[in-house]
Amino acid sequence: MTPLISTDERDELLKNLVIPPRPDVLDKLLGLRNDPDVTLQKLGDIISEDLALCVAMLKAANTPILGRGRHITSIHQAISLLGVKNVVSLVSGLVLRTRLTAETPPALEQFWDNALQIAAISAALCDKIVHVPDDCQSFALFHSCGIAIMLMRFPTYYRTLRLTEMASDDRIGLVEQELHGTRHDVVGYLVARTWNMPESFAKAILMQNDDTVMLTGPDAPLDHDGRMMVAVTRAARHVWRTLTPGKEDAGWEARKDEVLNYLGMSDVEFEDWVDAMHQELAVAG
């Protein structure tokens, strides 16, 4: 089982990596998620206070899967289309994106576009599954946020990403550790902790590629919500990775059975859904 990182490792990483502080707008929005009196107007007003967040939100709402071909031109229209909970779930990842755009290398912009597509695919998968955590879509956007931080910190990290695309899940961190002295899942865990995200959310980021992550029982490393967030996101990542005909997902075969078992989907059911998603994305693209 992957241990939680030590205090010394955390302090050393925090000295060398720039992790943006938790923004006030996130506190305001998370406070509204369980507010029975929340209105679209109130939610829209908070987002509209942050211009960069407005731009990111409109871009998200106009992705092929979320926008369903409609052209969304206003924040209130986006909220009406996506719903309050979906909007709040998107915000944590979008806020991180807006806080890292001062000097955006092309690889970082591409990373966020990919992350947004994976989050949209996750949302579509959640519609097929009963009892998914509210944070599933947020996790899909946030799960690889450590990559964004490392792209900003290490000029050659974009090359590392090419190597990890060809690696099995359990080797991704080993490649990163050898080349950069840390792993994106550890960095992402630090971001989640710095932003006071729920502990199960942060631990799921840290352990997402660990071979024990889907274990159940009293000694399980994650609770049910954590396992479900990891399973949904890994399945969505498979859809995204295989979107181009002939492109393979190097780690999927080793993870497929445990992920599909936890999602409660058969191979045939999942493959039919993957084909449908590929067709939908191809038409929309």
Side-chain angles (χ1 to χ4, degrees):
M1 183 185 303
T2 301
L4 297 181
I5 63 174
S6 67
T7 302
D8 289 344
E9 185 181 2
R10 181 199 64 196
D11 291 346
E12 185 64 26
L13 283 170
L14 289 176
K15 280 195 303 185
N16 294 302
L17 296 169
V18 178
I19 295 178
R22 180 183 172 98
D24 292 338
V25 67
L26 187 58
D27 289 320
K28 293 178 182 177
L29 287 164
L30 291 177
L32 290 180
R33 181 158 67 181
N34 297 316
D35 181 352
D37 299 321
V38 65
T39 63
L40 298 183
Q41 182 69 44
K42 188 185 296 185
L43 185 55
D45 288 347
I46 291 174
I47 295 174
S48 297
E49 293 172 4
D50 189 316
L51 179 58
L53 184 56
C54 281
V55 172
M57 191 74 230
L58 286 175
K59 186 170 185 177
N62 280 295
T63 54
I65 299 177
L66 295 181
R68 301 291 182 184
R70 287 163 287 196
H71 183 52
I72 310 303
T73 58
S74 72
I75 291 299
H76 289 90
Q77 190 181 3
I79 296 170
S80 179
L81 170 68
L82 300 176
V84 172
K85 284 196 173 183
N86 281 334
V87 168
V88 175
S89 292
L90 278 170
V91 161
S92 60
L94 295 177
V95 168
L96 181 63
R97 176 178 184 160
T98 65
R99 297 308 185 263
L100 291 174
T101 52
E103 298 176 4
T104 306
L108 184 58
E109 190 63 29
Q110 184 62 55
F111 160 77
W112 282 118
D113 287 345
N114 295 342
L116 191 56
Q117 194 167 49
I118 292 170
I121 295 169
S122 294
L125 180 54
C126 286
D127 288 341
K128 291 182 63 67
I129 303 170
V130 179
H131 304 312
V132 294
D134 289 339
D135 285 327
C136 258
Q137 191 175 358
S138 179
F139 181 82
L141 258 181
F142 215 92
H143 79 286
S144 57
C145 65
I147 292 177
I149 302 291
M150 291 178 74
L151 280 168
M152 295 294 289
R153 173 65 179 81
F154 302 110
T156 62
Y157 185 70
Y158 73 94
R159 296 176 188 163
T160 305
L161 287 179
R162 295 175 187 168
L163 294 176
T164 58
E165 282 180 2
M166 298 180 287
S168 59
D169 290 14
D170 60 346
R171 289 197 55 79
I172 290 173
L174 297 177
V175 173
E176 293 174 320
Q177 189 75 41
E178 180 178 348
L179 295 175
H180 304 289
T182 189
R183 314 187 313 265
H184 81 269
D185 49 6
V186 171
V187 176
Y189 172 76
L190 286 177
V191 175
R193 291 298 303 273
T194 300
W195 282 31
N196 296 319
M197 304 301 282
E199 181 62 16
S200 63
F201 189 101
K203 285 182 67 176
I205 291 174
L206 178 64
M207 301 199 66
Q208 59 187 296
N209 292 320
D210 192 279
D211 58 9
T212 68
V213 69
M214 301 306 295
L215 293 180
T216 59
D219 297 323
L222 296 180
D223 61 13
H224 166 70
D225 284 2
R227 291 190 295 270
M228 184 59 79
M229 288 187 289
V230 169
V232 167
T233 298
R234 186 62 184 87
R237 207 161 80 229
H238 175 68
V239 174
W240 171 76
R241 280 185 169 179
T242 55
L243 183 56
T244 303
K247 189 173 182 182
E248 296 184 358
D249 180 353
W252 179 244
E253 281 304 312
R255 302 290 299 277
K256 178 176 71 173
D257 289 346
E258 62 180 12
V259 167
L260 295 188
N261 285 341
Y262 210 79
L263 295 177
M265 299 179 74
S266 68
D267 281 2
V268 172
E269 181 185 9
F270 180 72
E271 288 304 323
D272 286 347
W273 179 76
V274 171
D275 289 343
M277 291 302 301
H278 283 170
Q279 291 175 22
E280 183 174 345
L281 288 164
V283 169

